[in-house]
Amino acid sequence: MSRPEARYLMVLPVPFRPLGRGRFAVESAFAEHLRLLLQSLRPQVERIEVLAPVMDQKSFDALHTSLAELHEERDGVEFTPAYSLPRGTLHHLFALPRLAWMLWRAVGRCGYVHGGPSSLTRPFQNLALLFGWMRRRTTVFVTDIDQRESPRMSLSTGICSYGAYLRAHYVHRPWFVLQLWLAVRLCSTLFLKGRALVADYGRGLSHVHYLLDCAHSRDHVLAADRLAAKCRRIADERRPLRACYFGRLVAYKGVDRMLSAIAIACQGGADITFDVYGAGECEPALRLQVAQLGLEQVVSFHGPKPYGHELFAELEQCDLLLAAGLAQDTPRSAIDAQAAGMGVLAFNTYYYRELQQQGAGVELVQWPDVAALAVALQGLAGHRDRVAALSRRAIEFARHNTQEDWLRLRAQWTLGRSAAAAPAPAAVPSQRT
């Protein structure tokens, strides 16, 4: 076993599936992230241990095409099962003493402890960070979404009931805020995905950092000659504007709103197709909606794709990503789309607004106005030069914000390396299309 100071413990709710003999299956982009994270932390860190829930067989069978395999010896990443999925709240509460003992031992064998905010009923990340603080480990707190406005948004769009809203607003929201308040005071380093979180809780403190959680690498970014060919293809009004969505098919992603907007835009004369990449609980309802709207010749479902060059080759053929989130969301797809030379048409939530302010190829419409989304789609379908301009801005943004760039920053902030040798990724000057 590696020296404790050379081991990095990540306690996360990301499920994995053991495959035997030190082999594990996990979401493909996360697998690549772990490889690159370890590379960025070397030589101080020799091994990453991930303590996470175990994926059930049914989920594994449904998602296996979008998973990737890691090997403990080859990749330097090992997984420790925290609990099995799916499990209810009562099971988690009764199992908490056993999980706490497991976390205490895991923290004892690692020099770094990485976690984030937890739910009240499943506080295993909280316990890991608490034990890390008690045992004087380097503690790294990461949150990838600002949930403070999600209860109000979910209520107004009908995703949650009034009772669920009250619980979220008066119980879970204050719990999230308390965790941030404590993390700022107790953790060694914080990475917050959202400038509002950094401003509200970091307040200029040197150990609180803004994080742009990119997954694309430099070789995923569309080359200049292929971007030029793509822009010529976009400009060809003899072909339809090819919009797409890729990600999980769950209610709060608002894919049903995208379909409604597509139908309105097509009725208004726009020549558009819509490709859907992904899987999830809402897929049957979305397929039914396509039939009800008469969009069978417009919408295509492709299922999930593993993260990597195969996915980016598909995305290169698409012109525009739609984003109609009904709650606060910080999806990786928005930045992956930039690397594929694809602009984003999104509801005006804080994440997409921040990306636009940093120069990404993003156009915004009022949240959660389906009619406004349809009008914007019609406008872009009829003015292809605007779509091409979004594509050029997207590529410039992606070149300045690769996963390697941001992991280098994370490593220097985590390990205390000199910042002088590694400047932060530059924002692209913002400009209107």
Side-chain angles (χ1 to χ4, degrees):
M1 180 179 290
S2 306
R3 308 181 321 276
E5 62 271 21
R7 292 176 63 88
Y8 188 99
L9 175 66
M10 300 182 76
V11 180
L12 300 170
V14 180
F16 73 97
R17 182 73 181 177
L19 301 175
R21 297 180 179 271
R23 295 161 47 242
F24 312 93
V26 71
E27 196 271 325
S28 52
F30 184 56
E32 182 62 15
H33 172 74
L34 289 173
R35 294 189 189 100
L36 291 174
L37 175 63
L38 180 57
Q39 181 179 324
S40 73
L41 294 170
R42 282 177 168 156
Q44 286 94 326
V45 174
E46 299 172 357
R47 202 166 194 81
I48 291 177
E49 177 180 352
V50 182
L51 195 148
V54 177
M55 185 185 303
D56 65 295
Q57 185 66 46
K58 181 179 178 181
S59 298
F60 176 70
D61 291 341
L63 299 172
H64 74 277
T65 59
S66 62
L67 304 179
E69 183 179 314
L70 288 171
H71 194 286
E72 188 174 310
E73 292 307 316
R74 180 193 67 201
D75 299 308
V77 179
E78 61 189 65
F79 284 79
T80 299
Y83 52 86
S84 298
L85 292 174
R87 292 291 173 89
T89 298
L90 281 178
H91 177 89
H92 281 280
L93 292 176
F94 283 122
L96 198 55
R98 181 196 66 82
L99 183 57
W101 175 238
M102 180 188 300
L103 287 166
W104 180 263
R105 289 185 298 167
V107 169
R109 59 180 176 258
C110 297
Y112 302 85
V113 181
H114 171 128
S118 301
S119 69
L120 270 170
T121 56
R122 302 180 185 183
F124 78 119
Q125 292 187 83
N126 297 148
L127 285 174
L129 291 166
L130 174 63
F131 293 160
W133 175 76
M134 292 170 62
R135 303 188 73 160
R136 299 178 183 274
R137 300 313 196 238
T138 298
T139 49
V140 182
F141 181 93
V142 180
T143 182
D144 67 354
I145 190 167
D146 184 348
Q147 294 281 13
R148 291 175 293 175
E149 288 299 308
S150 287
R152 176 191 61 80
M153 295 169 71
S154 297
L155 178 66
S156 67
T157 55
I159 289 180
C160 73
S161 65
Y162 192 68
Y165 162 77
L166 291 176
R167 289 193 299 275
H169 185 75
Y170 291 106
V171 178
H172 300 299
R173 185 180 188 275
W175 174 238
F176 174 74
V177 169
L178 176 62
Q179 290 177 83
L180 282 170
W181 188 88
L182 288 171
V184 169
R185 286 152 181 80
L186 300 179
C187 290
S188 309
T189 305
L190 283 81
F191 300 125
L192 308 180
K193 194 172 178 181
R195 295 191 184 278
L197 285 176
V198 175
D200 293 346
Y201 296 97
R203 299 182 182 276
L205 294 171
S206 61
H207 69 298
V208 181
H209 307 282
Y210 168 71
L211 172 68
L212 189 62
D213 191 13
C214 304
H216 72 276
S217 298
R218 294 185 187 95
D219 59 352
H220 288 141
V221 180
L222 200 62
D225 59 335
R226 290 162 68 185
L227 173 63
K230 179 167 187 168
C231 288
R232 287 194 298 270
R233 189 174 69 246
I234 289 172
D236 184 0
E237 296 190 1
R238 294 170 298 177
R239 59 179 290 279
L241 180 71
R242 189 172 174 184
C244 78
Y245 166 84
F246 59 101
R248 290 181 296 147
L249 303 182
V250 293
Y252 81 92
K253 294 290 188 178
V255 181
D256 59 333
R257 268 65 169 186
M258 300 177 202
L259 293 174
S260 296
I262 291 281
I264 295 170
C266 289
Q267 289 166 8
D271 190 9
I272 302 172
T273 63
F274 187 49
D275 294 277
V276 179
Y277 298 91
E281 62 195 39
C282 291
E283 183 173 349
L286 294 172
R287 287 181 178 273
L288 178 61
Q289 184 183 4
V290 166
Q292 292 171 338
L293 293 172
L295 295 176
E296 293 93 339
Q297 303 304 311
V298 174
V299 178
S300 301
F301 289 87
H302 301 281
K305 300 285 184 182
Y307 193 84
H309 291 288
E310 179 185 349
L311 173 64
F312 279 91
E314 293 265 2
L315 299 181
E316 183 180 343
Q317 304 306 312
C318 298
D319 306 328
L320 186 71
L321 177 72
L322 301 188
L326 304 180
Q328 294 289 20
D329 196 17
T330 56
R332 190 183 63 231
S333 60
I335 305 176
D336 291 337
Q338 307 293 294
M342 188 172 13
V344 180
L345 176 61
F347 282 156
N348 188 1
T349 58
Y350 89 89
Y351 179 64
Y352 293 99
R353 193 161 56 248
E354 281 192 350
L355 290 179
Q356 185 187 63
Q357 290 166 354
Q358 294 177 64
V362 176
E363 185 160 317
L364 302 173
V365 300
Q366 184 176 346
W367 179 93
D369 192 334
V370 171
L373 187 64
V375 169
L377 267 172
Q378 284 182 265
L380 291 171
H383 297 84
R384 301 298 182 85
D385 56 324
R386 291 169 54 196
V387 183
L390 287 173
S391 293
R392 287 189 285 270
R393 284 173 54 192
I395 287 296
E396 191 66 17
F397 180 84
R399 287 177 182 147
H400 285 83
N401 291 279
T402 66
Q403 181 168 204
E404 293 92 339
D405 292 326
W406 282 95
L407 284 177
R408 172 175 44 79
L409 274 178
R410 285 178 61 169
Q412 77 178 38
W413 288 329
T414 300
L415 303 173
R417 294 171 178 164
S418 171
V428 180
S430 180
Q431 40 185 308
R432 296 284 178 184
T433 57

